[in-house]
Amino acid sequence: MARFQTALQALPAEQAASPFVRAQVELVTLKDDKFRGRGGFVTLLEWADVLDRHFPAAGR
């Protein structure tokens, strides 16, 4: 996880701010928390929630 965060911080600000990168960061962080804390997997509903936050449906 630390390696991923270090790589993210090395990106230019305009690239790190993109919704794709932000969604990826959130998913990787969620996955890391799940594996460390509860030993579980990120569920389909959790994936959908993250993607919906970063890529809302048109007209919302």
Side-chain angles (χ1 to χ4, degrees):
M1 184 67 188
R3 182 177 168 192
F4 179 76
Q5 289 175 334
T6 301
L8 177 64
Q9 291 170 354
L11 292 173
E14 65 276 358
Q15 191 175 0
S18 76
F20 295 102
V21 174
R22 286 182 283 145
Q24 180 77 21
V25 168
E26 188 173 345
L27 287 167
V28 169
T29 302
L30 182 60
K31 180 182 172 196
D32 185 57
D33 291 344
K34 288 229 169 213
F35 279 117
R36 285 184 195 207
R38 298 180 290 246
F41 292 93
V42 177
T43 66
L44 184 56
L45 276 177
E46 291 168 319
W47 273 85
D49 288 342
V50 169
L51 294 176
D52 193 40
R53 273 194 296 282
H54 296 281
F55 303 99
R60 280 193 188 180

Coordinates of all heavy atoms in Angstrom, one line a residue:
M1 N 0.8 -1.2 0.0 CA 0.0 0.0 0.0 C 0.9 1.3 0.0 O 0.6 2.2 -0.7 CB -0.9 -0.1 1.2 CG -1.9 1.1 1.3 SD -3.1 0.9 -0.1 CE -3.9 2.4 0.1
A2 N 1.9 1.3 0.8 CA 2.8 2.4 0.9 C 3.4 2.7 -0.5 O 3.6 3.8 -0.9 CB 3.8 2.2 1.9
R3 N 3.8 1.6 -1.2 CA 4.4 1.8 -2.5 C 3.4 2.4 -3.5 O 3.8 3.3 -4.3 CB 4.8 0.4 -3.0 CG 5.5 0.4 -4.4 CD 5.9 -1.0 -4.7 NE 6.3 -1.0 -6.1 CZ 6.5 -2.1 -6.8 NH1 6.4 -3.3 -6.2 NH2 6.9 -2.1 -8.0
F4 N 2.2 2.0 -3.4 CA 1.1 2.6 -4.3 C 0.9 4.1 -4.0 O 0.9 4.9 -4.9 CB -0.2 1.8 -4.1 CG -1.3 2.4 -4.9 CD1 -1.4 2.1 -6.3 CD2 -2.3 3.1 -4.4 CE1 -2.4 2.6 -7.1 CE2 -3.3 3.6 -5.1 CZ -3.4 3.4 -6.5
Q5 N 0.8 4.4 -2.7 CA 0.7 5.8 -2.3 C 1.9 6.7 -2.7 O 1.7 7.8 -3.2 CB 0.4 5.9 -0.8 CG -1.0 5.4 -0.4 CD -1.2 5.4 1.1 OE1 -0.2 5.3 1.8 NE2 -2.4 5.4 1.5
T6 N 3.1 6.2 -2.6 CA 4.2 6.9 -3.0 C 4.2 7.2 -4.5 O 4.5 8.3 -5.0 CB 5.5 6.1 -2.7 OG1 5.5 5.9 -1.2 CG2 6.8 6.8 -3.1
A7 N 3.8 6.2 -5.3 CA 3.7 6.3 -6.7 C 2.7 7.4 -7.1 O 2.8 8.2 -8.0 CB 3.4 5.0 -7.4
L8 N 1.5 7.3 -6.4 CA 0.5 8.3 -6.6 C 1.0 9.7 -6.3 O 0.7 10.7 -7.1 CB -0.7 8.0 -5.8 CG -1.9 9.0 -5.9 CD1 -2.5 8.9 -7.3 CD2 -3.0 8.6 -4.9
Q9 N 1.7 9.9 -5.3 CA 2.2 11.3 -4.9 C 3.2 11.8 -5.9 O 3.4 13.0 -6.0 CB 2.7 11.2 -3.5 CG 1.7 11.0 -2.5 CD 2.2 10.8 -1.1 OE1 3.4 10.6 -0.9 NE2 1.4 10.7 -0.1
A10 N 3.8 10.9 -6.6 CA 4.8 11.3 -7.6 C 4.2 11.8 -8.9 O 4.9 12.4 -9.8 CB 5.8 10.1 -7.9
L11 N 2.9 11.5 -9.1 CA 2.2 11.9 -10.3 C 2.0 13.4 -10.4 O 1.8 14.1 -9.3 CB 0.8 11.3 -10.4 CG 0.8 9.8 -10.6 CD1 -0.6 9.2 -10.5 CD2 1.4 9.4 -12.0
P12 N 1.9 14.0 -11.5 CA 1.6 15.4 -11.6 C 0.2 15.7 -11.1 O -0.7 14.8 -11.2 CB 1.6 15.7 -13.1 CG 2.3 14.6 -13.8 CD 2.2 13.4 -12.8
A13 N -0.1 16.8 -10.5 CA -1.4 17.1 -9.9 C -2.6 16.9 -10.8 O -3.6 16.3 -10.4 CB -1.4 18.5 -9.4
E14 N -2.5 17.3 -12.1 CA -3.6 17.2 -13.0 C -3.9 15.7 -13.3 O -5.0 15.3 -13.5 CB -3.4 17.9 -14.3 CG -2.2 17.5 -15.2 CD -0.9 18.0 -14.8 OE1 -0.8 18.9 -13.9 OE2 0.1 17.7 -15.4
Q15 N -2.9 14.9 -13.2 CA -3.1 13.4 -13.5 C -3.7 12.8 -12.2 O -4.6 11.9 -12.3 CB -1.8 12.7 -13.9 CG -2.1 11.3 -14.4 CD -0.8 10.7 -15.0 OE1 0.3 11.4 -15.0 NE2 -0.9 9.5 -15.4
A16 N -3.2 13.1 -11.1 CA -3.6 12.5 -9.8 C -5.1 12.9 -9.5 O -5.8 12.2 -8.8 CB -2.7 12.9 -8.7
A17 N -5.5 14.0 -10.1 CA -6.9 14.5 -9.8 C -7.9 13.9 -10.7 O -9.1 14.1 -10.4 CB -6.9 16.0 -9.9
S18 N -7.5 13.1 -11.6 CA -8.5 12.5 -12.5 C -9.4 11.5 -11.8 O -8.9 10.9 -10.8 CB -7.8 11.8 -13.7 OG -7.2 10.6 -13.3
P19 N -10.6 11.4 -12.2 CA -11.5 10.5 -11.5 C -11.1 9.0 -11.6 O -11.3 8.3 -10.7 CB -12.9 10.7 -12.3 CG -12.6 11.5 -13.5 CD -11.3 12.1 -13.3
F20 N -10.4 8.7 -12.7 CA -9.9 7.3 -12.8 C -8.9 7.0 -11.6 O -8.9 5.9 -11.0 CB -9.2 7.0 -14.1 CG -10.2 7.1 -15.3 CD1 -10.2 8.3 -16.1 CD2 -11.0 6.1 -15.5 CE1 -11.1 8.4 -17.1 CE2 -11.9 6.2 -16.6 CZ -12.0 7.3 -17.4
V21 N -8.0 7.9 -11.4 CA -6.9 7.7 -10.4 C -7.6 7.7 -9.0 O -7.3 6.9 -8.2 CB -5.8 8.7 -10.5 CG1 -4.8 8.6 -9.4 CG2 -5.1 8.6 -11.9
R22 N -8.5 8.7 -8.8 CA -9.1 8.7 -7.5 C -9.9 7.5 -7.2 O -9.9 7.0 -6.1 CB -10.0 10.0 -7.4 CG -9.2 11.2 -7.2 CD -10.0 12.5 -7.1 NE -10.5 12.8 -8.5 CZ -11.7 13.3 -8.7 NH1 -12.5 13.6 -7.8 NH2 -12.0 13.6 -10.0
A23 N -10.6 7.0 -8.2 CA -11.4 5.7 -8.0 C -10.5 4.6 -7.7 O -10.7 3.7 -6.8 CB -12.3 5.4 -9.2
Q24 N -9.4 4.5 -8.4 CA -8.4 3.4 -8.2 C -7.8 3.5 -6.8 O -7.7 2.5 -6.1 CB -7.3 3.5 -9.3 CG -6.2 2.5 -9.1 CD -6.7 1.1 -9.7 OE1 -7.6 1.1 -10.4 NE2 -6.0 0.1 -9.2
V25 N -7.5 4.7 -6.4 CA -6.9 4.8 -5.0 C -7.9 4.4 -4.0 O -7.6 3.7 -3.0 CB -6.5 6.3 -4.8 CG1 -6.2 6.6 -3.3 CG2 -5.3 6.7 -5.6
E26 N -9.2 4.8 -4.2 CA -10.2 4.4 -3.2 C -10.4 2.9 -3.2 O -10.5 2.3 -2.1 CB -11.5 5.1 -3.5 CG -12.6 4.9 -2.4 CD -13.8 5.7 -2.6 OE1 -13.8 6.6 -3.4 OE2 -14.8 5.4 -1.9
L27 N -10.4 2.2 -4.3 CA -10.6 0.8 -4.4 C -9.4 0.0 -3.8 O -9.6 -0.9 -3.0 CB -10.8 0.4 -5.8 CG -12.2 0.7 -6.4 CD1 -12.2 0.5 -7.9 CD2 -13.3 -0.1 -5.7
V28 N -8.2 0.5 -4.1 CA -7.0 -0.1 -3.5 C -7.0 0.0 -2.0 O -6.6 -0.9 -1.3 CB -5.7 0.4 -4.2 CG1 -4.5 -0.1 -3.4 CG2 -5.7 0.0 -5.6
T29 N -7.3 1.2 -1.5 CA -7.4 1.4 -0.1 C -8.4 0.6 0.6 O -8.1 0.0 1.6 CB -7.6 2.9 0.2 OG1 -6.6 3.7 -0.4 CG2 -7.6 3.2 1.7
L30 N -9.6 0.5 0.0 CA -10.6 -0.4 0.5 C -10.2 -1.8 0.6 O -10.4 -2.5 1.6 CB -11.9 -0.2 -0.3 CG -13.1 -1.0 0.1 CD1 -13.6 -0.6 1.5 CD2 -14.3 -0.7 -0.8
K31 N -9.6 -2.3 -0.5 CA -9.1 -3.7 -0.6 C -8.0 -3.9 0.5 O -8.1 -4.9 1.2 CB -8.5 -3.9 -1.9 CG -8.0 -5.3 -2.1 CD -7.3 -5.5 -3.5 CE -6.7 -6.9 -3.5 NZ -5.7 -7.0 -4.6
D32 N -7.1 -3.0 0.7 CA -6.1 -3.1 1.7 C -6.7 -3.2 3.1 O -6.3 -4.0 3.9 CB -5.1 -1.9 1.6 CG -3.9 -2.1 2.5 OD1 -3.2 -3.1 2.5 OD2 -3.7 -1.2 3.4
D33 N -7.7 -2.3 3.4 CA -8.3 -2.3 4.7 C -9.0 -3.6 4.9 O -9.0 -4.2 6.0 CB -9.3 -1.2 4.8 CG -8.7 0.2 4.8 OD1 -7.5 0.3 5.1 OD2 -9.4 1.2 4.6
K34 N -9.7 -4.1 3.9 CA -10.4 -5.4 4.1 C -9.5 -6.6 4.4 O -9.8 -7.4 5.2 CB -11.2 -5.7 2.8 CG -12.4 -4.8 2.7 CD -13.6 -5.6 2.4 CE -14.8 -4.8 2.5 NZ -15.9 -5.6 3.0
F35 N -8.4 -6.6 3.6 CA -7.5 -7.8 3.8 C -6.8 -7.7 5.2 O -6.5 -8.7 5.8 CB -6.5 -7.9 2.7 CG -7.0 -8.5 1.5 CD1 -7.1 -7.9 0.3 CD2 -7.4 -9.8 1.5 CE1 -7.6 -8.5 -0.9 CE2 -8.0 -10.5 0.4 CZ -8.1 -9.8 -0.8
R36 N -6.4 -6.5 5.6 CA -5.7 -6.4 6.9 C -6.7 -6.6 8.1 O -6.3 -7.2 9.0 CB -5.1 -5.0 7.0 CG -3.9 -4.8 6.2 CD -3.3 -3.5 6.5 NE -2.3 -3.2 5.4 CZ -1.3 -2.4 5.6 NH1 -1.2 -1.8 6.8 NH2 -0.5 -2.1 4.7
G37 N -7.8 -5.9 8.0 CA -8.7 -5.9 9.1 C -9.6 -7.2 9.3 O -9.7 -7.8 10.3
R38 N -10.3 -7.5 8.2 CA -11.3 -8.5 8.3 C -11.0 -9.7 7.4 O -11.8 -10.7 7.5 CB -12.7 -8.0 7.9 CG -13.1 -6.8 8.8 CD -14.4 -6.3 8.4 NE -14.3 -5.6 7.2 CZ -14.6 -4.3 7.1 NH1 -14.9 -3.6 8.1 NH2 -14.5 -3.7 5.9
G39 N -10.0 -9.7 6.6 CA -9.7 -10.8 5.8 C -10.7 -11.0 4.7 O -10.8 -12.1 4.1
G40 N -11.5 -10.0 4.3 CA -12.5 -10.2 3.3 C -12.2 -9.6 2.0 O -11.1 -9.0 1.8
F41 N -13.1 -9.7 1.1 CA -12.9 -9.1 -0.3 C -13.8 -7.9 -0.4 O -14.8 -7.8 0.2 CB -13.3 -10.2 -1.3 CG -12.3 -11.3 -1.3 CD1 -12.5 -12.5 -0.6 CD2 -11.1 -11.2 -2.1 CE1 -11.6 -13.5 -0.6 CE2 -10.2 -12.3 -2.2 CZ -10.5 -13.4 -1.4
V42 N -13.5 -7.1 -1.4 CA -14.3 -5.9 -1.7 C -15.5 -6.5 -2.5 O -15.4 -7.2 -3.5 CB -13.6 -4.9 -2.6 CG1 -14.5 -3.8 -3.0 CG2 -12.4 -4.4 -1.8
T43 N -16.7 -6.2 -2.0 CA -17.9 -6.8 -2.6 C -18.3 -6.0 -3.9 O -17.8 -4.9 -4.1 CB -19.1 -6.8 -1.7 OG1 -19.5 -5.4 -1.4 CG2 -18.8 -7.5 -0.4
L44 N -19.2 -6.6 -4.7 CA -19.6 -6.0 -5.9 C -20.4 -4.7 -5.5 O -20.2 -3.7 -6.2 CB -20.6 -6.9 -6.7 CG -21.1 -6.4 -8.0 CD1 -19.9 -6.0 -8.9 CD2 -22.0 -7.5 -8.6
L45 N -21.1 -4.6 -4.5 CA -21.8 -3.4 -4.1 C -20.8 -2.3 -3.7 O -21.1 -1.2 -4.0 CB -22.8 -3.7 -2.9 CG -24.1 -4.2 -3.2 CD1 -24.9 -4.5 -2.0 CD2 -24.9 -3.3 -4.1
E46 N -19.8 -2.7 -3.0 CA -18.7 -1.7 -2.6 C -18.1 -1.1 -3.9 O -17.8 0.1 -4.0 CB -17.7 -2.3 -1.7 CG -18.3 -2.6 -0.3 CD -17.4 -3.4 0.5 OE1 -16.8 -4.4 0.0 OE2 -17.3 -3.1 1.7
W47 N -17.8 -2.0 -4.9 CA -17.2 -1.6 -6.1 C -18.1 -0.6 -6.8 O -17.7 0.5 -7.3 CB -17.0 -2.8 -7.1 CG -15.7 -3.4 -6.9 CD1 -15.4 -4.4 -6.0 CD2 -14.5 -3.2 -7.7 NE1 -14.1 -4.8 -6.2 CE2 -13.5 -4.1 -7.2 CE3 -14.1 -2.4 -8.7 CZ2 -12.2 -4.2 -7.7 CZ3 -12.8 -2.4 -9.2 CH2 -11.9 -3.3 -8.7
A48 N -19.4 -0.9 -6.9 CA -20.4 -0.1 -7.5 C -20.5 1.3 -6.8 O -20.6 2.3 -7.5 CB -21.8 -0.8 -7.5
D49 N -20.5 1.3 -5.5 CA -20.6 2.5 -4.7 C -19.4 3.4 -5.1 O -19.5 4.6 -5.3 CB -20.6 2.3 -3.2 CG -21.9 1.7 -2.8 OD1 -22.9 1.8 -3.5 OD2 -21.9 1.2 -1.6
V50 N -18.2 2.9 -5.1 CA -17.0 3.7 -5.4 C -17.1 4.2 -6.9 O -16.9 5.4 -7.1 CB -15.7 2.8 -5.3 CG1 -14.5 3.5 -5.9 CG2 -15.5 2.5 -3.8
L51 N -17.4 3.4 -7.8 CA -17.5 3.8 -9.2 C -18.6 4.9 -9.4 O -18.5 5.8 -10.1 CB -17.7 2.6 -10.1 CG -16.6 1.7 -10.2 CD1 -16.9 0.5 -11.1 CD2 -15.3 2.4 -10.7
D52 N -19.7 4.7 -8.7 CA -20.8 5.7 -8.7 C -20.4 7.0 -8.2 O -20.8 8.1 -8.7 CB -22.1 5.1 -8.0 CG -23.3 5.9 -8.3 OD1 -23.5 6.3 -9.5 OD2 -24.1 6.2 -7.4
R53 N -19.6 7.0 -7.2 CA -19.1 8.3 -6.6 C -18.2 9.1 -7.6 O -18.3 10.3 -7.7 CB -18.4 8.1 -5.3 CG -19.2 8.0 -4.1 CD -18.4 8.1 -2.8 NE -17.5 7.0 -2.6 CZ -17.9 5.8 -2.1 NH1 -19.1 5.6 -1.9 NH2 -17.0 4.9 -2.0
H54 N -17.4 8.3 -8.3 CA -16.4 9.0 -9.2 C -16.9 9.1 -10.6 O -16.4 10.0 -11.3 CB -15.1 8.2 -9.2 CG -14.4 8.2 -7.8 ND1 -13.7 9.3 -7.4 CD2 -14.4 7.3 -6.8 CE1 -13.3 9.0 -6.1 NE2 -13.7 7.8 -5.8
F55 N -17.9 8.3 -11.0 CA -18.5 8.4 -12.3 C -20.0 8.4 -12.2 O -20.7 7.4 -12.6 CB -18.0 7.2 -13.2 CG -16.5 7.1 -13.3 CD1 -15.8 6.2 -12.5 CD2 -15.8 7.9 -14.1 CE1 -14.5 6.1 -12.5 CE2 -14.5 7.8 -14.2 CZ -13.8 7.0 -13.4
P56 N -20.6 9.5 -11.7 CA -22.1 9.5 -11.5 C -22.8 9.4 -12.8 O -22.3 9.8 -13.9 CB -22.3 10.8 -10.8 CG -21.1 11.7 -11.1 CD -20.0 10.7 -11.3
A57 N -24.0 8.8 -12.8 CA -24.8 8.7 -14.0 C -25.2 10.1 -14.5 O -25.3 11.0 -13.7 CB -26.1 7.9 -13.7
A58 N -25.3 10.2 -15.8 CA -25.6 11.5 -16.4 C -27.0 12.0 -15.9 O -27.9 11.2 -15.7 CB -25.6 11.4 -17.9
G59 N -27.1 13.3 -15.6 CA -28.3 13.9 -15.2 C -28.5 13.9 -13.7 O -29.5 14.3 -13.2
R60 N -27.5 13.5 -13.0 CA -27.6 13.5 -11.5 C -27.1 14.8 -11.0 O -26.3 15.4 -11.4 CB -26.8 12.4 -10.9 CG -27.5 11.1 -10.9 CD -26.8 10.2 -10.0 NE -27.3 8.9 -10.1 CZ -26.8 7.9 -9.3 NH1 -25.9 8.1 -8.5 NH2 -27.3 6.7 -9.5

